[in-house]
Each structure stands twice: as C-alpha cells, then as structure tokens.
Amino acid sequence: MLIFYIERIDLFFLSIWIISVATSIATWLFLSSQGLKYLFERANHAAFLPYTAGIIFIIALLPDNETDLEKFNKLMEPAHFSFIVVIPLCLFLLSFFLPNKRHGDYNV
C-alpha cells in the first residue's frame, strides 16, 4: 500500500491558491486593457496595462479593515446584478433594433 506523507500540507494548498489568484489577476488585467483598447479605438492593448494595474493597485490599498471590505461588497451587490443580468439583457434587446453592420464574407 502506497501512502504519501506530506509534512507541510498548508504549503501545498497555498501554492495552488497563489496560482489561481495570479491567473485570475492576469486575466482581469488583460480583459480590462482589451476593453480600454476597444473603448479608445487603439491598435494595441499593452499601452493600457500599466494604467489598469496602477488603478487596481490603488483601489486594493483603499480598505483598511474588514468592515471596509464588507461596506464595499454591500455597495457592489447591485452592480454585480447589473453586470450579470441587466446590461447583457439590454444589449440583447438592443441588438434586435440596430442594423447589422457586417461587411464582407464571413464563414460563420
């Protein structure tokens, strides 16, 4: 019978947690810089990465304790609902009324 003995199991879970957090941060940085690229009609998203990372870093430094985080979560609950339900629903309904702007031959 093969039994693995891990002396510091917390280090194992901590390394997995760090990987998941780092990939989440990288994904959100990329997506926010891509959104800014399309918003300002630029060719490259890399110019927006330092600004986006700086803004996120400053926002992360704002809360001083756990009650500040709870207040922020209470403030963001309606925003989460609007980003998940209201905005996509409005865009979906708006897509029926706006003309289709496809030009060229697309293989869809």
Side-chain angles (χ1 to χ4, degrees), residues 51-64 68-69 72 76:
Y51 302 113
T52 306
I55 290 170
I56 291 172
F57 180 71
I58 290 170
I59 290 172
L61 292 177
L62 290 178
D64 290 330
D68 290 342
L69 287 175
F72 181 72
M76 291 305 292

Side-chain angles (χ1 to χ4, degrees), residues 28-102:
W28 284 108
L29 276 174
F30 173 72
L31 290 175
S32 61
S33 63
Q34 281 287 94
L36 289 174
K37 177 184 88 167
Y38 287 117
L39 180 68
F40 292 111
E41 298 176 354
R42 302 290 177 166
N44 192 0
H45 74 278
F48 295 106
L49 281 173
Y51 302 113
T52 306
I55 290 170
I56 291 172
F57 180 71
I58 290 170
I59 290 172
L61 292 177
L62 290 178
D64 290 330
N65 52 28
E66 192 172 332
T67 57
D68 290 342
L69 287 175
E70 290 174 7
K71 289 178 187 176
F72 181 72
N73 282 336
K74 291 284 185 190
L75 179 71
M76 291 305 292
E77 282 178 4
H80 290 150
F81 177 74
S82 67
F83 284 123
I84 292 172
V85 176
V86 176
I87 293 174
L89 183 62
C90 290
L91 290 174
F92 177 68
L93 294 175
L94 188 64
S95 70
F96 288 116
F97 299 110
L98 295 177
N100 193 358
K101 294 185 179 183
R102 286 190 178 182

Side-chain angles (χ1 to χ4, degrees), residues 18-34:
I18 287 174
I19 290 171
S20 66
V21 168
T23 55
S24 297
I25 290 171
T27 302
W28 284 108
L29 276 174
F30 173 72
L31 290 175
S32 61
S33 63
Q34 281 287 94

